[in-house]
């Protein structure tokens, strides 16, 4: 059967239209997919927002416009930010500590994440002023007295690697670097300083006055050079009176001139380390019962009264001028006694005050040469910077 001319024309026209429509739909479809991908990337990029704040700063964060209510949650860094107020489309936060945090706003299926960076406050002008004064009085003055120019006016003390600033711009702590230039330290009343001391040589130092500082928690004069036993040989006075929050004091290697130490006003003291204080003859202890750790080695003390301290759980004593030590066990449970760490030299007689019979803690006895071997006292951590163990 021969197809009519009219039917052939209709078939050709239909085929042409179909091909044209296919091309159009394909092109439109590809553009739609491409647009969708682009839109997804764009939305994803917008859904993670970065925010910078400073400690103590308050900031209002708004969620994207939407008919749906925003449900807010802190994904991480809860210690660094706090929520003041939540609203339908916004939240008000306050920066608490330096670090980072993640905040999320959920609106239906849509989630928006906020990466928050919390920065420290800049150093306070009052602290910088005090620091400059301190360096001039201690370092520059004594440097001139010694006839050298190790420390001079104009030095950048603000960025000294031994100084630590807290989140609010106050000096949190200071560790003096190795120097023999100064003879006297009268600590300025920094508003929030918590630790102060040195690990290095200060053979010219005579006076260490830290008294009347309400925020001070840790004082240390440590000798990292074990071969040098005269590192604070001219020290004759340490004043920590009325430091009501002092918890740790650790002093090593003072000479014959350092004869007495008064801790009677340090009611919160819980860790005491005194080692190699060859001239120390008088020690006034605090009246409260907070002391938990004590090391007294190689001093000139003729007695050490620990009877009133019922919370002691780590004690290291040896190489002194007394041969009898009494430790109060009245309030100790069997578990407390089991966990006590006691280390004495062979010449020391230890008596335990207790109404309980048959309960005796495990005592280690070592000769004087090995007295410091094996003892580990808890670290006093003031920040990321870690004060060495109180031995």
């Amino acid at each position: 059967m021969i197809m009519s001319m009219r039917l052939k024309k209709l078939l050709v026209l239909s085929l042409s239209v179909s091909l044209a429509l296919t091309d159009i739909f394909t092109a439109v479809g590809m553009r739609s997919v491409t647009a969708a991908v682009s839109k997804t990337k764009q939305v994803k990029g917008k859904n993670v927002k970065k925010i910078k704040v400073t400690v103590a700063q308050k900031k209002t964060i708004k969620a994207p416009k939407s008919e749906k209510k925003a449900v807010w949650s802190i994904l991480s860094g809860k210690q660094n930010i706090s929520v003041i107020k939540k609203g339908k489309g916004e939240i008000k936060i306050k920066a608490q500590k330096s670090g980072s945090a993640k905040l999320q706003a959920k609106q239906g299926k849509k989630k928006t994440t906020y990466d928050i960076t919390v920065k420290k406050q800049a150093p306070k002008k009052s602290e910088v002023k005090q620091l400059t004064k301190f360096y001039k009085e201690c370092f520059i003055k004594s440097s001139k007295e010694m006839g050298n120019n190790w420390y001079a006016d104009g030095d950048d003390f603000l960025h000294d690697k031994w100084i630590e600033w807290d989140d609010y711009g106050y000096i949190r702590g200071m560790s003096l670097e190795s120097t023999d230039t100064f003879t006297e330290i009268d600590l300025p009343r920094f508003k929030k300083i918590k630790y102060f001391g040195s690990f290095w040589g200060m053979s010219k130092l005579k006076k260490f006055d830290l008294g009347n500082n309400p925020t001070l928690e840790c004082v240390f004069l440590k000798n990292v050079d074990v071969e040098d036993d005269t590192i604070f040989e001219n020290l004759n006075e340490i004043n920590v009176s009325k430091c009501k929050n002092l918890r740790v004091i650790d002093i090593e290697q003072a000479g014959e001139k350092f004869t007495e130490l008064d801790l009677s006003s340090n009611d919160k003291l819980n860790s005491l380390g005194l080692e190699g204080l060859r001239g120390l003859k008088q020690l006034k202890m605090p009246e409260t019962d907070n002391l938990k750790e004590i090391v007294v080695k190689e001093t000139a003390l003729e007695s050490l009264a620990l009877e009133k301290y019922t919370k002691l759980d780590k004690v290291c004593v040896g190489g002194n001028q007394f041969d009898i030590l009494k430790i109060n066990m009245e309030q100790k449970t069997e578990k407390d006694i089991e966990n006590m760490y006691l280390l004495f030299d062979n010449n020391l007689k230890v008596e335990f005050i207790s109404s309980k019979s048959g309960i005796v803690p495990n005592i280690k006895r070592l000769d004087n040469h090995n007295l410091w071997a094996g003892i580990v006292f808890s670290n006093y951590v003031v920040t990321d910077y870690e004060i060495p163990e109180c031995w």
Side-chain angles (χ1 to χ4, degrees), residues 92-233:
K92 191 174 185 179
I93 64 168
K94 182 179 180 181
Q96 300 286 4
K97 290 176 62 179
S98 61
S100 61
K102 281 186 182 294
L103 187 67
Q104 185 186 83
K106 186 177 180 181
Q107 298 164 293
K109 293 183 179 181
K110 185 179 180 181
K111 297 178 181 179
T112 305
T113 303
Y114 301 85
D115 286 343
I116 302 172
T117 301
V118 184
K119 301 183 296 182
K120 291 183 177 183
Q121 289 192 26
K124 301 293 183 186
K125 291 182 179 179
S126 59
E127 295 289 286
V128 175
K129 185 177 179 180
Q130 287 276 48
L131 178 63
T132 304
K133 180 182 178 183
F134 170 73
Y135 268 84
K136 285 184 176 180
E137 289 179 349
C138 294
F139 291 84
I140 296 176
K141 179 182 176 181
S142 55
S143 184
K144 290 178 179 178
E145 289 177 355
M146 296 289 291
N148 58 55
N149 59 352
W150 293 351
Y151 297 92
D153 290 297
D155 284 357
D156 185 8
F157 304 130
L158 179 62
H159 300 290
D160 194 309
K161 64 181 179 179
W162 302 104
I163 299 167
E164 182 191 351
W165 303 85
D166 72 6
D167 284 358
Y168 293 86
Y170 295 102
I171 293 178
R172 181 178 174 85
M174 191 183 303
S175 175
L176 302 179
E177 61 182 301
S178 178
T179 176
D180 286 333
T181 61
F182 52 88
T183 58
E184 184 174 318
I185 293 176
D186 184 5
L187 181 67
R189 308 305 180 242
F190 293 113
K191 189 172 181 180
K192 292 187 178 182
I193 194 165
K194 290 191 174 182
Y195 70 87
F196 189 88
S198 175
F199 301 113
W200 304 96
M202 289 191 289
S203 61
K204 307 297 180 184
L205 182 65
K206 296 179 181 179
K207 184 179 180 182
F208 201 47
D209 188 358
L210 310 175
N212 297 297
N213 195 310
T215 60
L216 194 66
E217 294 183 13
C218 180
V219 174
F220 54 98
L221 291 177
K222 299 284 288 182
N223 178 17
V224 296
D225 185 358
V226 295
E227 295 181 358
D228 185 1
D229 62 356
T230 61
I231 202 145
F232 301 111
E233 61 181 347

Side-chain angles (χ1 to χ4, degrees), residues 68 82 151 390:
K68 296 183 178 181
S82 61
Y151 297 92
C390 297

Side-chain angles (χ1 to χ4, degrees), residues 19 36 47 74 79 81 118 123 131 144 169 227 230 238 291 294 306 343 361:
L19 290 173
N47 277 355
I74 301 175
Q79 72 279 9
I81 61 173
V118 184
L131 178 63
K144 290 178 179 178
E227 295 181 358
T230 61
I238 293 180
L291 195 64
I294 185 168
L306 299 181
L343 183 62

Side-chain angles (χ1 to χ4, degrees), residues 71-99:
V71 179
W72 297 92
S73 59
I74 301 175
L75 302 180
S76 64
K78 292 183 179 180
Q79 72 279 9
N80 298 330
I81 61 173
S82 61
V83 176
I84 299 174
K85 185 179 179 181
K86 291 181 181 180
K88 179 181 178 181
E90 65 182 32
I91 187 172
K92 191 174 185 179
I93 64 168
K94 182 179 180 181
Q96 300 286 4
K97 290 176 62 179
S98 61

